[in-house]
């Protein structure tokens, strides 16, 4: 059975259209657009592209997107003062500090400062704790994108065996907790896991978030499994490839995400969705 493609571009487009509608309704109700403020320190070329894409996507979705560009020699105190200022501004609903920061700066104290109600990246300890506890909060964007894609398949997760390969705070751990919240039976694999092939072969849902090209072999995949490939790697020809051996896995999976065009496009879409959610909750909290 050849699997169906889980088209991240199409699903992200749908999410962005939903965000636009919600942003318009928010504007009608509150007379302002949901505000997303991104902080970029220094001139890292990849970060500059990501930030520009976020700003542009925010504008198109009817949000008030704003980028604070700080010089590479910004001090810890100045960066923290900016975050405190954004926290205090009632018209700002989402704050995102683009990582990595220049090496003289420590990221954790800056992230710790972000008001949890504005933590649209979902990476602060408070947001992680709320997720762990199953309480409402802002969830990290890439894992949220994975869950939205699973939802789009219509596959029921309850009681299913899910394998998450990778245990980062950014992807692996939160996606595992989100699958658990949907009552999947979750296994987490990492660099010390033995018999990865056997773990993959048992899984009804596989989420690969490692950063190693084609680590997960197609022949390991269980017939009918849903496969989400978060990995972004470049092969020798400079082509983008995922953590899953796509062509072979597609022959066995029921649904599979391509790379590129799979999980990738979902991340910014979920950031926009988190910003509207933050805005709606913050306004509701004022009642
Ligand atoms: P990290 O490097 O933070 O984590 C990688 C994880 O993979 C670690 O937990 C590590 O285990 C595990 N790992 C390493 N080698 C193996 C192995 N041989 N077998 C099993 N597990 C292994 O990466 P991220 O989570 O930040 O990102 C993962 C991938 O996803 C990257 O390719 C990244 O570019 C991509 N990505 C894509 C996004 C998107 O928008 N599509 C967003 C974020 C990331 P251990 O903990 O033991 O070291």
């Amino acid at each position: 059975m050849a699997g169906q493609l889980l088209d991240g571009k199409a699903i992200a487009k749908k999410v962005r259209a939903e965000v636009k509608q919600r942003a318009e309704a928010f504007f009608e109700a509150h007379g302002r657009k949901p505000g997303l403020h991104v902080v970029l320190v220094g001139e890292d070329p990849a970060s500059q592209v990501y930030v520009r894409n976020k700003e542009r996507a925010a504008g198109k979705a009817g949000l008030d997107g704003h980028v604070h560009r700080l010089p590479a020699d910004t001090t810890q105190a100045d960066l923290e003062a900016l975050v405190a200022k954004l926290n205090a501004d009632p018209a700002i609903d989402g704050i995102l500090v683009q990582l990595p920061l220049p090496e003289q700066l420590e990221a954790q104290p800056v992230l710790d400062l972000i008001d949890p109600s504005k933590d649209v990246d979902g990476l602060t300890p408070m947001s992680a704790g709320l997720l762990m506890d199953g309480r409402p909060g802002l969830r990290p964007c890439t894992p949220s994108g994975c869950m939205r894609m699973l939802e789009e398949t219509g596959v029921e997760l309850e009681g299913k065996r899910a394998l998450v390969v990778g245990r980062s705070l950014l992807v692996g751990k939160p996606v595992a907790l989100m699958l658990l919240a949907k009552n999947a039976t979750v296994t987490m694999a990492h660099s010390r896991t033995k018999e990865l092939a056997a773990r993959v072969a048992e899984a009804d849902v596989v989420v690969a978030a490692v950063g190693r090209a084609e680590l997960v072999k197609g022949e390991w995949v269980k017939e009918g499994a849903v496969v989400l490939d978060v990995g972004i790697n470049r092969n020798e020809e400079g082509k983008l490839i995922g953590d899953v051996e796509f062509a072979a896995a597609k022959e066995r999976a029921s649904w599979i995400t391509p790379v590129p065009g799979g999980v990738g496009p979902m991340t910014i879409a979920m950031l926009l969705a988190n910003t509207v959610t933050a805005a709606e909750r913050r306004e509701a909290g004022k009642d």
Side-chain angles (χ1 to χ4, degrees):
M1 179 178 78
Q4 299 186 62
L5 270 194
L6 252 175
D7 182 346
K9 277 192 208 155
I11 302 170
K13 195 172 166 195
K14 195 165 153 186
V15 171
R16 289 199 305 267
E18 290 164 8
V19 167
K20 195 162 184 226
Q21 274 195 346
R22 288 168 65 196
E24 281 163 10
F26 183 89
F27 185 80
E28 289 284 304
H30 305 289
R32 67 176 183 89
K33 295 176 178 179
L36 170 63
H37 283 231
V38 177
V39 180
L40 173 64
V41 189
E43 274 102 46
D44 179 68
S47 294
Q48 285 185 340
V49 174
Y50 296 147
V51 163
R52 209 174 308 128
N53 289 344
K54 286 169 187 172
E55 189 180 23
R56 199 174 302 148
K60 277 193 191 162
L63 310 187
D64 183 18
H66 190 85
V67 179
H68 300 262
R69 291 184 169 83
L70 302 183
D73 62 357
T74 296
T75 63
Q76 188 83 25
D78 283 348
L79 178 56
E80 291 181 10
L82 173 60
V83 171
K85 195 175 122 206
L86 303 180
N87 277 343
D89 187 335
I92 296 175
D93 303 289
I95 302 170
L96 185 155
V97 177
Q98 185 68 40
L99 301 178
L101 294 174
E103 59 184 18
Q104 83 276 11
L105 297 172
E106 263 189 279
Q108 202 56 63
V110 179
L111 297 183
D112 287 357
L113 267 185
I114 296 174
D115 177 340
S117 76
K118 301 187 178 189
D119 176 23
V120 285
D121 228 3
L123 295 178
T124 65
M126 177 63 95
S127 297
L130 293 171
L131 168 59
M132 178 87 139
D133 208 13
R135 284 157 60 188
L138 295 164
R139 310 303 192 216
C141 301
T142 304
S144 297
C146 291
M147 297 309 290
R148 177 61 192 259
M149 293 184 108
L150 287 172
E151 213 178 292
E152 294 284 328
T153 66
V155 170
E156 176 57 63
L157 293 172
E158 183 159 326
K160 293 283 166 57
R161 285 191 188 194
L163 174 72
V164 179
V165 192
R167 56 175 165 180
S168 70
L169 195 61
L170 187 62
V171 190
K173 278 181 189 158
V175 88
L177 287 168
M178 289 160 101
L179 288 161
L180 190 61
K182 293 285 179 194
N183 298 317
T185 302
V186 182
T187 301
M188 296 191 69
H190 45 77
S191 67
R192 319 293 162 83
T193 295
K194 297 199 170 81
E195 300 170 348
L196 182 62
R199 299 292 77 77
V200 173
E202 292 163 348
D204 303 302
V205 175
V206 178
V207 181
V210 179
R212 287 182 186 234
E214 300 187 333
L215 173 81
V216 175
K217 303 297 169 213
E219 65 185 29
W220 300 351
V221 171
K222 183 176 170 179
E223 198 70 43
V226 180
V227 179
L228 300 189
D229 190 349
V230 182
I232 302 175
N233 313 284
R234 277 193 196 276
N235 69 7
E236 303 86 57
E237 294 102 59
K239 198 174 150 231
L240 282 187
I241 48 172
D243 289 345
V244 177
E245 201 186 23
F246 178 77
K250 185 169 184 290
E251 291 308 309
R252 303 175 66 85
S254 57
W255 292 93
I256 186 165
T257 60
V259 176
V263 177
M266 295 299 293
T267 300
I268 289 187
M270 299 317 286
L271 172 69
L272 305 176
N274 268 354
T275 304
V276 184
T277 300
E280 289 166 351
R281 286 187 189 155
R282 293 182 60 257
E283 286 294 339
K286 287 182 189 163
D287 296 340

